[in-house]
Amino acid sequence: MVLALLLLIEGRLWVMQAVQGQAYLRLSEQNRLRDYVVPAPRGVLYDRKGRPLVTNRAAFTISVLPMEVKEPARLAERLAPLVGLEAQEIAARIAAGRQRPFEPVPLRRDADKAAVITVEEQRLDLPGVVVQAEPVRHYPFGTRAAHVVGYLGEITEEELRTRPDYRPGDLIGKTGIERAYDAVLRGQAGRLRVEVDAAGRPVRVLGREAARPGQSLVLAIDADLQAAAEQALGTRAGAVVAMDPRTGDVLALASHPAYAPALFAGGISQANWRRLTADRALPLLNRATEGTYEPGSVFKVVTGLAALAEGVATRDSIFHCTGALRLGSWVFRDLAAYGTVNFIRGTAVSCNVMFWTLGQAVGEARLHRYATMLGLGRPTGIDLPAEATGLVPNAAWKQRVWKEPWYPGDTLNMSIGQGWVLVTPLQVARMMAAVATDGTLVRPRLVRRILAADGRVVADPAPRADGRIVLPAAAVRTLHDGLRAVVDGGTGAAAAVPGLAIAGKTGSAENPRGSPHAWFAGYAPADRPALVVVVFVEHGRRGGAAAAPVARAVFAAAAPTLLAAAGETPRP
């Protein structure tokens, strides 16, 4: 019996050493060694003058190794107050991480000093919990350009299925430039092999593979102009777009209400996420590119250009703005009676009767054609991950959607930007850029250059145009003069800046969701356009009263640069 027992023991030792030796060796090494992923610092986002809009700073991340957790429920209860998560969520993350038991599962990024000290002091009672140094995003200008730069978040299971080069727990761009250029910004993670003691404390570094930082981006945004736009818009809901009509460079893109991207830097809490998503003011919505609104009288730029280009009207055409226009048994009423006007004066005062008359003569089909030629009703192609399409209706669309024919009254509504027409502020900016440049349809862009980690220029893409609209020179000159008259004593007088020639159009758009929206769309200098500014104020009622002063602030901020380029001196 003793001999049999000895043989059994020897046999078991032989199996463990000879047959299963390599497996036990691996387990031993895994208990003694730790392989950590070293996150790569993301690329920096600069404005056009080289000022950093988004950088990185050092922070600590509290993570857990699933393989070392024997009692996940108990550990979750102890960690919950330290990492600011509910115990159930911690336990769920540990369970999900067991598919990769030797990879740390992040629980709290950018942990405060008190939490890190507590974890280190209680390490013996927190098996499997590790503290790692990681870079997190830093925003020197706070909320400025929040909808442009976007924010980061942990990659989801759905995203992992389509992105095999990512790992669970990785940060990925969710919105804005962070998402559109995530592959450029993220860099390549490194690895660190560390020997640890029985308590999991590092003893020595056995190997290191350095992380490669992501590439940086130079944006077209001008931080000063962006600040001027946001400050002028103030607390009102709306958007401001400032763009160079020659290149498509977006110098400012403001949307309010905004949010603080720093909330997402270390992983947003459930409370903050619920607050943002439940806010009826929609702070996460980029109103400049994702919101669609009735354009109101800024659409008269399309109607006026179509009428002039098609020979329906000329500079000297006469219109009787009596305050109303009769269409069969219907009476369409204007805001006021402006008397007898020519095209220039009618544009300056935004006479609805004149544009109704022009819309009737041009017709639905040609209004639709000119609107789409000017870029309305389709995305602009800006380098952002989400952009609304908008809508330019026509008879075929109405028949398909509403199962009704197109009526003459629909044409009248469309001619002044009412009815079913929907646009984004960025689409209006591209439309005005096409008018300002006599027909060049530019593609808006936010990224001007891509830089390597050492500052070398990796890519310097040239501006892109989406086509050239052939327009009669006389028609374009007349429209320019009409838009100039809008600011020189017309409905857009509040946008005027002394010494700077500005052309533009105001708009007050009726909508079914409350008070009218306020618009202003213009460009300067009027004779050598270098800046387009579009302002949208949600429920602002009158474009001349609510939107034009915001545009004036943006034009005034840019005036020294615009006038210096033209060889002129700004007037006080």
Side-chain angles (χ1 to χ4, degrees):
M1 291 177 61
V2 171
L3 182 60
L5 289 174
L6 288 174
L7 289 174
L8 182 62
I9 293 172
E10 289 182 5
R12 179 58 180 159
L13 289 173
W14 180 82
V15 170
M16 292 176 65
Q17 295 180 36
V19 178
Q20 298 177 327
Q22 290 300 318
Y24 282 112
L25 178 63
R26 284 196 300 270
L27 289 174
S28 173
E29 290 293 313
Q30 288 164 356
N31 285 327
R32 184 175 68 89
L33 304 178
R34 296 285 183 270
D35 282 321
Y36 295 128
V37 173
V38 181
R42 289 177 73 86
V44 177
L45 302 184
Y46 299 97
D47 86 332
R48 66 188 300 110
K49 296 177 181 176
R51 293 168 291 191
L53 297 174
V54 183
T55 61
N56 301 296
R57 60 179 175 82
F60 291 104
T61 296
I62 299 175
S63 304
V64 62
L65 284 167
M67 65 164 287
E68 295 188 357
V69 178
K70 301 296 186 287
E71 300 179 55
R74 184 169 176 270
L75 180 65
E77 290 290 343
R78 295 182 66 92
L79 281 177
L82 298 179
V83 299
L85 295 174
E86 296 179 358
Q88 295 86 344
E89 183 178 352
I90 296 175
R93 292 193 183 191
I94 295 174
R98 291 195 183 278
Q99 297 177 357
R100 296 175 175 83
F102 306 110
E103 295 187 8
V105 176
L107 297 180
R108 177 63 179 170
R109 285 187 164 94
D110 196 16
D112 57 51
K113 186 182 297 184
V116 172
I117 292 174
T118 302
V119 168
E120 291 294 343
E121 289 176 342
Q122 301 180 12
R123 180 178 289 277
L124 292 177
D125 298 322
L126 298 172
V129 179
V130 295
V131 177
Q132 301 167 275
E134 288 187 355
V136 299
R137 282 312 218 184
H138 175 58
Y139 304 89
F141 293 100
T143 61
R144 190 178 303 176
H147 292 92
V148 173
V149 300
Y151 63 84
L152 302 176
E154 281 194 18
I155 191 166
T156 64
E157 290 294 331
E158 183 180 354
E159 290 171 326
L160 277 171
R161 285 194 288 270
T162 58
R163 293 173 170 86
D165 53 329
Y166 287 77
R167 302 162 50 257
D170 280 353
L171 293 178
I172 188 172
K174 296 292 186 178
T175 63
I177 292 294
E178 293 279 23
R179 178 175 175 181
Y181 289 85
D182 185 76
V184 174
L185 291 166
R186 67 184 296 238
Q188 184 173 332
R191 298 198 72 86
L192 186 66
R193 170 160 282 201
V194 178
E195 183 180 1
V196 299
D197 61 15
R201 291 174 297 211
V203 175
R204 58 174 174 156
V205 176
L206 301 179
R208 188 192 306 270
E209 181 182 339
R212 287 191 291 178
Q215 296 174 328
S216 298
L217 302 177
V218 178
L219 305 186
I221 293 290
D222 184 315
D224 295 329
L225 208 59
Q226 180 75 25
E230 293 181 8
Q231 184 176 358
L233 189 58
T235 60
R236 293 169 294 183
V240 180
V241 179
M243 185 173 74
D244 188 331
R246 302 162 300 181
T247 63
D249 282 0
V250 178
L251 308 179
L253 194 148
S255 177
H256 189 84
Y259 62 92
L263 288 174
F264 297 86
I268 190 168
S269 67
Q270 290 186 353
N272 282 331
W273 179 249
R274 284 193 295 265
R275 179 177 58 81
L276 286 174
T277 54
D279 192 336
R280 296 171 65 93
L282 305 178
L284 295 176
L285 174 68
N286 186 347
R287 284 167 164 80
T289 60
E290 300 174 58
T292 57
Y293 310 94
E294 298 80 359
S297 291
V298 294
F299 190 86
K300 291 175 181 177
V301 173
V302 175
T303 305
L305 181 61
L308 293 167
E310 295 294 326
V312 170
T314 66
R315 182 188 199 89
D316 299 321
S317 296
I318 298 300
F319 305 90
H320 302 288
C321 293
T322 59
L325 183 143
R326 179 174 293 276
L327 181 66
S329 60
W330 293 87
V331 176
F332 289 75
R333 299 195 180 279
D334 204 342
L335 294 175
Y338 304 102
T340 300
V341 299
N342 63 7
F343 182 87
I344 303 300
R345 177 61 180 166
T347 301
V349 298
S350 197
C351 170
N352 281 346
V353 171
M354 182 182 87
F355 285 98
W356 283 328
T357 304
L358 294 176
Q360 278 183 311
V362 171
E364 157 265 330
R366 289 190 289 188
L367 281 177
H368 180 272
R369 179 160 60 88
Y370 275 85
T372 53
M373 279 197 310
L374 290 169
L376 302 183
R378 54 192 169 100
T380 66
I382 190 172
D383 43 349
L384 284 176
E387 185 180 7
T389 300
L391 174 63
V392 179
N394 60 6
W397 171 86
K398 188 182 179 187
Q399 185 63 49
R400 183 177 69 255
V401 174
W402 292 95
K403 312 301 182 193
E404 292 181 357
W406 186 272
Y407 298 114
D410 295 330
T411 303
L412 265 60
N413 281 330
M414 183 176 176
S415 65
I416 62 168
Q418 297 291 166
W420 294 286
V421 184
L422 293 173
V423 299
T424 68
L426 184 63
Q427 287 175 342
V428 174
R430 185 162 75 147
M431 176 191 77
M432 293 303 292
V435 171
T437 57
D438 299 343
T440 300
L441 197 64
V442 295
R443 176 173 295 187
R445 68 172 185 172
L446 283 166
V447 173
R448 300 183 72 201
R449 295 186 190 91
I450 300 177
L451 307 178
D454 59 4
R456 290 179 297 105
V457 177
V458 176
D460 188 10
R464 294 180 59 184
D466 287 335
R468 176 81 184 172
I469 307 167
V470 179
L471 299 168
V476 174
R477 282 196 303 270
T478 300
L479 182 61
H480 282 318
D481 292 343
L483 297 177
R484 177 78 180 269
V486 170
V487 180
D488 292 346
T491 59
V497 175
L500 182 65
I502 300 173
K505 186 72 190 75
T506 59
S508 299
E510 301 289 340
N511 70 88
R513 299 173 298 282
S515 301
H517 299 316
W519 287 89
F520 178 87
Y523 51 87
D527 53 346
R528 293 181 299 278
L531 181 66
V532 166
V533 174
V534 171
V535 178
F536 166 76
V537 180
E538 200 169 299
H539 307 303
R541 304 186 74 86
R542 297 285 171 235
V550 177
R552 177 184 62 210
V554 179
F555 279 125
T561 302
L562 296 174
L563 295 176
E568 301 176 15
T569 303
R571 281 192 278 164

